[in-house]
Amino acid sequence: MSELFEAVDALVASRSPLPPPAERRRLRQAHALTLDEVAAALQVRRATVGAWESGKTEPRPPEREAYAHLLEQLATLYPAPESTDAEQEDTAAAQPAAKATAAASSLPPVSPPEASPSDAPSALPAAGPRTERVSRGSRRPGAKEAARPANTAAPGGVYAHGPLLVVDADTDRQVTGYGVGGLILDVPAKSLPALVEWTLTEARLGAERLHGSGKDADPLLVLTEAACERYGLPASLSESERLAGRLAEGHKVVKQLQRAEWQLTKRGLGPWARIYRPAQGGRRQCVQLCIPSWRALDGRAWGHAAQLEPAELARVLGVYAQRVMTPVGSPAVTGLQLMTALNPPTRASEPDADGRRHSEHRPGSLGTQPVDPAPCEASDGHPVLAGLPRFHVRGPEEKLLEEAYDWARDLTDAECMKGYLVGLDVNLAFAAGANGAVVGLASPPVHVTWPAFDASLPGSWLVDLSHVDPSRVKVGKQWRDLDGDLLPSPFTPSGLRPEGPAWYATPTVAYAVELGYDVAPVEAWVRREHGRFLDGWYKRLRDAYVATMAELGVGEKLSPQEFLEAMDGYKSRDPELGIVVDAVKMTVKGGIGKLREKARGGGWKPGQAWPALARPTWRPDIRAAVISRARINMHRKMAALAAATGQYPVAVLSDCAVYAADGPSPLDVLPYGADGKTVPGSFRLGVSPGMVKHEGTQSVLWGANVLEQLSGDGHVANLARYIKTGEVTARDTGE
């Protein structure tokens, strides 16, 4: 009889009711389970579990019984939030409505009417509703918890389904697109050309322009390995293709695109590819591809994003797209494109006699044509330097050298008696340097000799600053003398005092004047057409960073102690948002770096132009001005702290300064009063750009060992390079 009862129980279990697909997904994510973990437990493929959660297929015995048991246990742990009948109806209708909307649309997206610059949003909300992931006790006490529907469509509008889709395929060759806000779309396309066509005609993907005179963002499709296989693409590039950065021209998929009259840009079908047809009637026809398995998402900028499940990857890229912009390449490339998106080079003119409008230069922008740099600003090998003798090495009197700090010194006897070395890191230092920076615009530089220095004119100045003593600073209305041997010079990246005439960007020379010294430039290259080109760029990235940090529990209005506590393990509260934070930081740093992109391979020879020079945004002078301001800001803060407390940095690397202290906390370095205020003009703890966070703490004994191990021949090892982790690799030691 027992066998009969077991058979009856199995029969009943085989028909066990299952929650709707959206609820299955919510329960899995609530327990922080991945699709791979569930699939391994049930001995099925990951794509099979994904299909159960999307509602495309239903589990069958014997897996159904085990799956139902799992969901029942999870439902006990994470009960569904209470909702009204209307809310339940809306949730049940969300997924079919999303799919029906995509299928019913038969017209390509229509660009909205141009808006004024003031109408462009500076920051957008997060990437729609999603299922909140509970990270098993890692949530900071007091943080809000909310259960959100997993399968709801993105906000309505011209681009109702958001800026992007992560396209995945299952074992049945069914293709699914995962969008922002938990959106799931069936993708009917059977080939890559058909996928591009479907994206532009039915998918309702894209993003509205960031400026009234700009262009709407093209839709982004992120292809998983399974999707690559479904559309005839390799899961990874061969060694030769990886070096070339693209798929071979003769590949069958490239030929499919050609037969369908789709075109590729010069970079071909690579990790970040653009597939387009010439614009018709002013309407763009372009789709951006991102292929993570081809190394599109570099781990240095995107962390483990390439290993995320499709829905999770859609969330990461969706948040970035809505707060920064739709990615068009690496964060560096995107950071450069963001400058143009926020400050377009052209605008529509007033109507002419026939009532027609034409494209005209937009004041305040960099224009549409590249501008040659001044010879002192040009990179080695630039065509403007073609007349120099071969192998000529330019010194500081010929070459503008505005770079971030890389300075270090030995510990004093008093510092050796302290217990700790504490690193302070400036948040988005280059973004803070860009904020308010006056830079040259579309006009070329003008050469002048024996000019009177004008701090309002951006440019490069040949001037002798060797007589300037940067250890003499003004505190309030009084001048104070500091120990110049313990403080780096603000005028050189090495922190060494200049020895004679050299080229400097305007902010560096202006700081010498601020310190009370006369300057007498010998010559200069100045830009009389100028403006604050990067202000909008700074604000956009600042808002993206601050908003994402706030979601991770690190707000702007925290006391110093609260800030340090909030920063402790902040990324573990939501690792996906942690990826976004790092990508935003790399967008800032990489975007500034791209302003002076150097020649790379391709048979280039000194004196020849390279592709980056054709861009109006190839502007080494703007890069120099931003880095100059960032370095001067750093020196100003260090000098103010030294004047007030007698504490001097032992090492500075870019935006990180290391101090010896009696305790391990930044509060053992920074003198905060009972009112929560610290030394005016010095370092302040906080999340905003220009404020500082804790970079890391090591013992003074550790620092002494590193200095002994790595210093020599007049070189002092930079402890700021190792303060975060304390690790010194064999490569650092030269072994």
Side-chain angles (χ1 to χ4, degrees):
M1 291 292 292
S2 60
E3 294 180 356
L4 292 177
F5 280 109
E6 289 176 2
V8 170
D9 289 341
L11 182 62
V12 173
S14 69
R15 300 296 187 269
S16 298
L18 296 175
E23 178 65 4
R24 302 170 196 174
R25 191 159 179 250
R26 183 192 74 82
L27 292 171
R28 174 179 62 81
Q29 292 188 333
H31 203 60
L33 295 174
T34 66
L35 287 174
D36 286 322
E37 289 174 324
V38 175
L42 299 177
Q43 299 181 0
V44 296
R45 297 190 59 174
R46 179 189 64 82
T48 302
V49 180
W52 295 345
E53 291 188 355
S54 67
K56 291 191 297 184
T57 63
E58 287 295 314
R60 298 178 180 178
E63 292 84 7
R64 181 186 178 93
E65 297 93 306
Y67 189 44
H69 182 61
L70 169 66
L71 296 175
E72 183 180 359
Q73 287 186 309
L74 293 177
T76 302
L77 293 172
Y78 310 102
E82 295 183 3
S83 60
T84 64
D85 292 341
E87 289 174 337
Q88 292 173 353
E89 291 175 2
D90 290 343
T91 302
Q95 182 183 350
K99 295 186 178 182
T101 302
S105 174
S106 59
L107 296 176
V110 179
S111 299
E114 290 195 357
S116 65
S118 61
D119 294 333
S122 60
L124 293 173
R130 69 174 185 89
T131 297
E132 201 66 48
R133 170 175 293 210
V134 181
S135 52
R136 294 175 180 162
S138 65
R139 184 179 296 278
R140 185 173 64 88
K144 293 183 178 179
E145 294 189 24
R148 308 175 187 175
N151 275 320
T152 54
V158 178
Y159 303 116
H161 293 152
L164 58 89
L165 280 183
V166 178
V167 182
D168 192 27
D170 60 21
T171 54
D172 298 325
R173 299 177 63 83
Q174 295 294 316
V175 182
T176 304
Y178 297 83
V180 299
L183 175 73
I184 298 178
L185 296 177
D186 285 331
V187 180
K190 305 300 183 184
S191 66
L192 188 59
L195 177 63
V196 174
E197 192 80 42
W198 173 83
T199 300
L200 293 174
T201 58
E202 297 184 41
R204 302 182 70 187
L205 294 172
E208 294 186 5
R209 62 198 70 184
L210 298 180
H211 187 281
S213 295
K215 299 175 181 177
D216 291 359
D218 298 319
L220 172 65
L221 298 179
V222 184
L223 304 183
T224 66
E225 286 191 43
C228 286
E229 181 181 354
R230 174 65 183 83
Y231 291 120
L233 296 169
S236 60
L237 296 177
S238 67
E239 184 64 21
S240 61
E241 291 170 335
R242 188 183 63 80
L243 292 174
R246 67 188 70 188
L247 202 62
E249 293 293 331
H251 194 277
K252 63 179 182 180
V253 175
V254 176
K255 293 182 177 180
Q256 286 177 359
L257 292 169
Q258 293 171 345
R259 287 195 296 269
E261 299 182 346
W262 290 106
Q263 300 180 28
L264 294 164
T265 59
K266 291 182 179 180
R267 62 184 179 184
L269 186 50
W272 289 93
R274 300 187 77 83
I275 303 174
Y276 71 98
R277 286 177 182 151
Q280 296 180 354
R283 178 175 295 157
R284 289 165 60 86
Q285 298 185 82
C286 184
V287 171
Q288 173 87 50
L289 294 187
C290 167
I291 306 179
S293 62
W294 293 8
R295 303 185 183 181
L297 301 177
D298 191 319
R300 292 170 295 182
W302 290 103
H304 64 285
Q307 283 74 51
L308 292 176
E309 298 295 334
E312 296 164 344
L313 180 56
R315 181 190 175 221
V316 168
L317 296 178
V319 172
Y320 180 90
Q322 292 187 319
R323 290 183 177 167
V324 180
M325 67 177 289
T326 305
V328 293
S330 68
V333 171
T334 303
L336 193 69
Q337 290 290 331
L338 181 64
M339 297 178 191
T340 302
L342 292 167
N343 207 329
T346 60
R347 67 181 181 186
S349 68
E350 293 296 323
D352 60 16
D354 297 326
R356 297 180 179 178
R357 295 179 183 269
H358 306 276
S359 177
E360 65 177 14
H361 171 69
R362 189 179 151 274
S365 73
L366 299 186
T368 59
Q369 299 300 316
V371 176
D372 277 342
C376 61
E377 299 164 350
S379 304
D380 290 338
H382 192 283
V384 302
L385 304 175
L388 290 178
R390 192 178 182 187
F391 304 121
H392 176 74
V393 179
R394 295 185 292 162
E397 71 284 356
E398 296 179 275
K399 181 177 181 179
L400 178 68
L401 188 64
E402 293 286 11
E403 300 293 343
Y405 268 129
D406 187 351
W407 170 87
R409 61 173 175 83
D410 284 321
L411 298 172
T412 65
D413 291 343
E415 289 166 343
C416 287
M417 298 302 293
K418 295 181 180 291
Y420 301 92
L421 295 170
V422 180
L424 304 176
D425 182 72
V426 180
N427 299 316
L428 301 187
F430 290 159
N435 183 29
V438 177
V439 300
L441 297 177
S443 299
V446 177
H447 184 248
V448 291
T449 56
W450 298 106
F453 176 68
D454 184 349
S456 67
L457 273 182
S460 301
W461 309 77
L462 180 61
V463 59
D464 188 351
L465 299 181
S466 60
H467 66 292
V468 179
D469 182 5
S471 63
R472 184 171 177 265
V473 298
K474 196 172 186 179
V475 180
K477 295 183 179 180
Q478 296 183 340
W479 289 93
R480 297 279 301 275
D481 290 325
L482 307 178
D483 190 334
D485 293 333
L486 301 181
L487 201 65
S489 167
F491 306 127
T492 63
S494 66
L496 301 177
R497 195 162 175 168
E499 298 178 350
W503 285 98
Y504 302 99
T506 297
T508 303
V509 185
Y511 190 51
V513 175
E514 179 185 323
L515 293 174
Y517 289 84
D518 294 328
V519 295
V522 177
E523 59 178 305
W525 290 88
V526 297
R527 290 169 168 80
R528 305 196 186 281
E529 182 194 1
H530 52 265
R532 294 168 58 157
F533 171 72
L534 293 174
D535 275 9
W537 185 81
Y538 160 78
K539 187 177 187 304
R540 180 81 176 176
L541 290 166
R542 182 247 179 229
D543 290 349
Y545 179 77
V546 170
T548 309
M549 290 296 289
E551 283 195 60
L552 287 166
V554 186
E556 289 188 271
K557 297 182 179 180
L558 299 176
S559 70
Q561 185 61 46
E562 289 173 336
F563 172 73
L564 292 175
E565 291 173 358
M567 286 293 294
D568 186 18
Y570 72 99
K571 289 183 182 179
S572 65
R573 296 175 199 135
D574 192 329
E576 293 167 17
L577 286 183
I579 294 174
V580 177
V581 167
D582 288 341
V584 171
K585 290 191 288 188
M586 290 300 293
T587 302
V588 172
K589 188 172 293 186
I592 295 300
K594 276 285 183 180
L595 291 167
R596 198 192 66 176
E597 183 177 353
K598 296 182 180 179
R600 295 180 298 176
W604 174 81
K605 296 180 180 179
Q608 296 178 343
W610 59 92
L613 301 187
R615 297 192 312 247
T617 49
W618 195 86
R619 292 294 298 270
D621 57 299
I622 296 179
R623 175 187 179 275
V626 170
I627 294 178
S628 166
R629 295 182 91 238
R631 194 183 65 246
I632 295 303
N633 287 343
M634 196 76 170
H635 186 275
R636 189 181 284 113
K637 294 175 189 296
M638 293 186 295
L641 183 62
T645 68
Q647 295 182 98
Y648 292 85
V650 301
V652 186
L653 183 65
S654 187
D655 47 12
C656 176
V658 176
Y659 285 84
D662 292 321
S665 168
L667 295 177
D668 295 307
V669 177
L670 305 180
Y672 275 90
D675 57 357
K677 296 182 179 179
T678 186
V679 177
S682 183
F683 298 108
R684 288 192 303 142
L685 290 166
V687 73
S688 297
M691 301 178 77
V692 298
K693 60 181 180 293
H694 185 202
E695 179 70 359
T697 294
Q698 305 297 331
S699 69
V700 166
L701 180 59
W702 166 88
N705 289 335
V706 172
L707 290 174
E708 182 179 359
Q709 186 178 12
L710 301 183
S711 301
D713 297 328
H715 166 75
V716 179
N718 194 321
L719 297 178
R721 195 181 308 277
Y722 316 104
I723 193 70
K724 187 170 186 176
T725 64
E727 295 180 1
V728 179
T729 66
R731 180 178 180 181
D732 297 319
T733 61
E735 296 179 359

